[in-house]
Amino acid sequence: MIQTTYFKTKKVCKVKFSFNGALAEKVELFGLNNDWQTPVVMTRKKDGSFAAEVSLPNNSKQEFRYLINGTDWVNEPDTEQSWNEYGTTNSVINL
């Protein structure tokens, strides 16, 4: 799940990413700002879900994927999808 908060005086949007993965031990978020090398490590919450908050530029298109336990790539189901160079899809949010 994704929640966005826009600020009238800032050129960034606060984006909260949530991932519900019952079998996940570690969830990382890749691709924001076109950075596929440096993950955003998501924090496990008491209910077992994972969350991360990131500030991203307004009026930007962000492609991303979740990496579960270092092996399984997963998309956010409630977002637009875009084909990537590997023949799979990335999640897309437009801010």
Side-chain angles (χ1 to χ4, degrees):
M1 183 172 75
I2 298 173
Q3 295 175 320
T4 55
T5 303
Y6 292 89
F7 303 99
K8 290 182 180 181
T9 59
K10 297 182 181 179
K11 295 181 180 182
V12 296
C13 174
K14 182 172 71 172
V15 183
K16 182 177 180 180
F17 294 88
S18 298
F19 183 82
N20 224 352
L23 301 177
E25 294 295 323
K26 181 178 182 182
V27 179
E28 299 169 290
L29 184 59
F30 280 86
L32 299 175
N33 290 320
N34 204 29
D35 184 355
W36 293 92
Q37 302 301 315
T38 310
V40 174
V41 178
M42 300 181 75
T43 304
R44 183 188 293 271
K45 297 170 58 177
K46 289 182 181 179
D47 66 2
S49 66
F50 291 81
E53 285 189 13
V54 182
S55 292
L56 297 169
N58 287 344
N59 303 311
S60 66
K61 177 181 176 180
Q62 300 288 328
E63 293 193 22
F64 68 96
R65 294 188 88 183
Y66 300 108
L67 181 61
I68 314 304
N69 298 332
T71 58
D72 298 315
W73 290 101
V74 177
N75 285 347
E76 177 69 41
D78 297 327
T79 63
E80 176 185 333
Q81 306 294 306
S82 175
W83 288 100
N84 61 36
E85 63 192 70
Y86 301 103
T88 59
T89 57
N90 297 332
S91 298
V92 177
I93 53 172
N94 293 293
L95 303 172

